[in-house]
Amino acid sequence: MNLPINLPIVIAVVLGLAVLIAMASLIHRQRRTDRPARSRGWRLALLLATQPILAVLMYLSLLPPPLRTQAGTMVVATAGAAQSGVATAGDVQIGLPEAPLSAERERAPDLATALRRHPGTQRVRVVGAGLEARDRDAARGLAIEFQPPALPRGLVGVWAPSRVGVGATFAVHGRVQGLEGGTVELLDPGRQRVDRIAPDRDGGFALSAVARGAGLTAFTLRLRDARQNVIEEIELPVSVLPDAQPKVLLLAGAPGPELKYLRRWALDAGLKLHTQISVGAGMQLGDAPVALNAATLAGFDLVVLDERAWDALGAPQREALMAAMRTGLGVMLRIAGPLSPRTRAQLRELGFELGVGADSIAMRLPAPAIDEDAMRARLGPGSEHAPRPRDQPVAAVPALTRRNLSLAGPKVQSLLRDADGNAFAAWRANGQGRIGLWSLGDSFVLALAGRDDLHAQLWSQAFATLARAKPRDTLRIEGVARQGERIVLCGLADGAQVSDPQNKSLSLLIDPVRGAERCAAFWPEAAGWHALKQGERTTAFFVRARDEAPGLRANELREATLALVSPQPRRDDAGADAPERDGWEDLFASDLPRGPAWPWFLAWLVCAAGLWWLERSRLGRYGADAATSAQT
């Protein structure tokens, strides 16, 4: 292993050894010399003390102390900086590796090195695109000036989930620059447009899509100008996870088409469904009956029952249901008919104010915000038994009916709303679980009208909101995952490893300073999908290429540098992030500018001459003192 050689320390060690040898030689000579020629105590002490003084003066002659003068403003050039004309007289000009070459600038591998070369620097003016991640820690605590350049035309910001569940609808938010009159499109992995929108006056936009098949996929953002010319396409990597499907207990007081199509959707979606349908006279259809007690309910994630099944519950069963809900179970009450006074009172105790209405009224779902082409892309090709041609017109959304109830309350949250903004499904928390009310009575009409996508979307959103919460992946990524840049992975287990696209594995070292958060630093060397392996669990995350998405890259540097801007130095921040170096550390530093050497050499020369005279004179010897006394 090659270790870096620190020349100041080497010189100090050599001089220190020379001092020890010289002092040992003096003591040895003193003990072996006859008494008349032996030095007295004060003479020996003076000779011994002079040796380290000469060594220190020799070191300072070779390496004078660092300059301690207050530096002026340091002008730091980054990527895209002008080659000249960015500094005034007295400023120190530094060029970082990504800055254009210029004869006026002193090149430095990073900002920390530049600050060590120019101690005392308190003000830094950043020119160009902004500071890279490697330089931001060194800049904390200084007075930072930064005038960001204009962002390039195109996508400059995007916020999208990196992991979603199969069948989930997810949103993509972002911001564009210089796209007046243009549009932003979202394409699915099959390159079919699933959403399109015109950015607002500030360049912001919001799109949505549905994640269908599980696996590592890539959606695409496509930007078009006012003439519909494509100016940029950005890949949006998404890891679609096969979420563990909830186990659902379905209780009904009578069969019906709503229940039939709900069961069909649940089975097609892969839900673990246990059904009990009462048909009167103590008879039931569906699966084998189960007892509603604490042990049974602990094995389910969601209980769905209608108002008849709710009324049929006995006091012990209802108490077991409420106790299970408080420990995390989800409950959905489908209201398809009139409610008894007892049920209304029970729901009022749970926080729902239903009002006086009870009849069914017509309602319509909100109109989709996407055009027909995008809608067909979202619907997909259908199934093997019910294929859907690509050019088949999208069926109109039929009118539906719901119970005229006011789903309100102090802590009630709206779950689904109709086109007029009225909630037809709502929920509220009860302990660790949730209870929801569903007043839509004929959602099956959507499936009959050819809009089974809307039918599935409504029930999927309701079940996902109310079902028992599942443990989530604890991985958290700090920073932008980009090739060659440091990111921090948090929520790690012991022995965590990262594999790059070439299947090259690297073990992660947990930072002891952030041991409670279980964080480790990682520098991705390759672009693409990486796999974090923790025991039996594997989590995928995507790393962008170094030069991919230049608008996003420019905005990342801009925002990170603006966060460091401060008119005055912040001593507390500087001290918290970087330990202060004292004078002794500066003496042994190899990268600091130093003062003149001649005063120290002159002092060494005078001291060495005095020592040479003293060593050869008889002053302070026993024999010389005796001769002087005899002459007297």
Side-chain angles (χ1 to χ4, degrees), residues 228-572:
Q228 294 302 299
N229 297 319
V230 177
I231 63 171
E232 190 176 17
E233 287 191 355
I234 303 294
E235 188 176 273
L236 294 180
V238 178
S239 175
V240 184
L241 306 176
D243 289 343
Q245 299 295 348
K247 189 173 182 180
V248 181
L249 175 60
L250 182 58
L251 304 177
E258 181 75 347
L259 187 62
K260 172 185 175 181
Y261 282 90
L262 173 57
R263 293 182 61 196
R264 178 178 297 179
W265 165 79
L267 295 175
D268 291 343
L271 274 63
K272 302 172 184 177
L273 189 64
H274 189 95
T275 307
Q276 293 182 198
I277 306 173
S278 175
V279 292
M283 300 181 61
Q284 289 187 343
L285 300 177
D287 301 308
V290 295
L292 287 184
N293 52 39
T296 301
L297 294 175
F300 290 97
D301 301 307
L302 178 65
V303 175
V304 181
L305 66 169
D306 58 18
E307 74 282 353
R308 295 184 183 181
W310 178 279
D311 280 334
L313 294 177
Q317 294 175 319
R318 185 174 291 105
E319 181 57 34
L321 189 64
M322 294 297 106
M325 193 191 316
R326 288 189 290 270
T327 60
L329 178 68
V331 174
M332 173 189 281
L333 175 58
R334 297 191 303 111
I335 305 175
L339 296 177
S340 65
R342 185 180 66 172
T343 300
R344 283 179 172 272
Q346 293 167 348
L347 293 179
R348 191 177 300 111
E349 292 177 359
L350 291 173
F352 291 98
E353 297 292 340
L354 301 181
V356 296
D359 297 332
S360 296
I361 59 173
M363 58 158 278
R364 287 191 173 275
L365 295 177
I370 56 178
D371 57 26
E372 189 167 342
D373 289 341
M375 180 63 68
R376 280 198 293 263
R378 290 199 184 194
L379 290 174
S383 63
E384 180 181 357
H385 302 289
R388 182 182 290 109
R390 179 71 179 86
D391 56 351
Q392 178 179 336
V394 178
V397 180
L400 306 175
T401 58
R402 67 175 180 87
R403 302 299 296 181
N404 187 17
L405 300 172
S406 174
L407 302 183
K411 298 181 180 180
V412 175
Q413 304 289 328
S414 297
L415 177 58
L416 295 168
R417 293 181 178 272
D418 60 16
D420 297 326
N422 300 312
F424 60 88
W427 65 273
R428 77 180 305 274
N430 188 358
Q432 298 181 11
R434 295 176 175 181
I435 180 171
L437 301 185
W438 177 279
S439 64
L440 184 60
D442 55 357
S443 65
F444 69 92
V445 176
L446 295 171
L448 294 178
R451 296 306 306 269
D452 51 314
D453 60 308
L454 290 179
H455 179 267
Q457 181 179 338
L458 295 178
W459 286 106
S460 176
Q461 185 173 347
F463 277 33
T465 302
L466 300 177
R468 188 191 304 270
K470 300 290 185 180
R472 295 284 183 178
D473 190 355
T474 58
L475 174 64
R476 187 178 79 256
I477 299 179
E478 297 180 0
V480 179
R482 191 177 285 273
Q483 183 183 9
E485 291 197 6
R486 175 181 179 270
I487 59 175
V488 178
L489 307 177
C490 293
L492 304 178
D494 291 334
Q497 291 185 327
V498 172
S499 298
D500 63 11
Q502 288 74 39
N503 207 27
K504 177 182 176 182
S505 296
L506 176 68
S507 297
L508 298 177
L509 181 62
I510 303 296
D511 184 359
V513 178
R514 304 182 62 179
E517 299 177 87
R518 309 288 297 172
C519 297
F522 175 60
W523 283 262
E525 298 179 356
W529 284 103
H530 289 60
L532 173 64
K533 300 177 181 178
Q534 304 182 82
E536 299 297 327
R537 293 186 297 131
T538 300
T539 305
F541 64 94
F542 190 82
V543 175
R544 289 194 182 275
R546 184 176 289 105
D547 300 324
E548 182 184 357
L552 293 179
R553 172 71 172 156
N555 195 48
E556 292 165 8
L557 295 176
R558 173 192 178 103
E559 295 300 324
T561 307
L562 285 174
L564 299 172
V565 170
S566 174
Q568 298 296 330
R570 292 173 290 186
R571 297 286 185 179
D572 53 341

